[in-house]
Amino acid sequence: MAKYQEILRKYWGYDDFRGIQRDVIESIAAGRDTLGLMPTGGGKSITFQVPALAMQGVCIVFTPLISLMRDQVEALRKRGISYATALNSDISYAERIDEIERIKTGSRSIVYLSPELLLSCNISDII
C-alpha cells in the first residue's frame, strides 16, 4: 500500500485514504474483481485513479456523462497527471484516432469511454 499512499500524497495531498477507499484499492491491487459502492462525494474516483497510476495497463471508466469525463480529465491534468483522456461523441474522429494511438503507446492509462463509442469501436483498438 505504500506506493498507493505515495501517489495519493503526491497528486492529491492527502496522507491517507478515507472510508472504504483503502479496502477497494487493496482489492484492486490484489487483482480481484472489485465493486465499491460509495455515496456521491465519497471519493470513488481515487479508488480507480490511484491504482491506474500505480499499475501497468489501461483503466477504462464507462460513463455516459460527457461533462463528468471532461471534469475528471481536467482535474487530473491540473494535478499534473497527463495520463487521462476521454473518448466520446464530443471529439472528432481525428482526435479519437490520436488518443487511441496515445493509449496504445502507453501515454494514456485512464480512459473515460462513453457507451456509444464502446458500441462503435473495437475495445481491442484501445487496450
Side-chain angles (χ1 to χ4, degrees), residues 8-122:
L8 182 69
R9 268 188 222 102
K10 178 179 178 180
Y11 293 109
W12 282 269
Y14 301 132
D15 289 326
D16 206 354
F17 297 104
R18 60 186 176 125
I20 66 166
Q21 287 176 330
R22 174 181 297 282
D23 296 333
V24 171
I25 291 171
E26 285 175 345
S27 180
I28 292 168
R32 292 190 295 270
D33 293 336
T34 305
L35 173 65
L37 296 175
M38 301 165 75
T40 300
K44 290 179 290 294
S45 297
I46 282 177
T47 65
F48 60 82
Q49 292 168 342
V50 169
L53 296 172
M55 301 169 79
Q56 298 235 332
V58 177
C59 171
I60 299 177
V61 181
F62 296 102
T63 178
L65 305 172
I66 293 174
S67 62
L68 173 95
M69 292 181 192
R70 244 188 255 119
D71 291 349
Q72 292 283 312
V73 171
E74 183 179 319
L76 288 166
R77 291 192 176 153
K78 283 182 180 176
R79 294 182 186 286
I81 302 167
S82 62
Y83 302 106
T85 190
L87 300 176
N88 56 55
S89 59
D90 208 27
I91 65 172
S92 71
Y93 180 76
E95 289 172 306
R96 192 176 319 147
I97 298 302
D98 287 346
E99 285 302 309
I100 289 171
E101 274 308 306
R102 288 182 180 102
I103 295 164
K104 287 179 178 180
T105 62
S107 62
R108 299 287 190 264
S109 59
I110 302 173
V111 179
Y112 291 86
L113 183 64
S114 65
E116 73 271 8
L117 282 189
L118 173 63
L119 296 174
S120 69
C121 71
N122 184 350

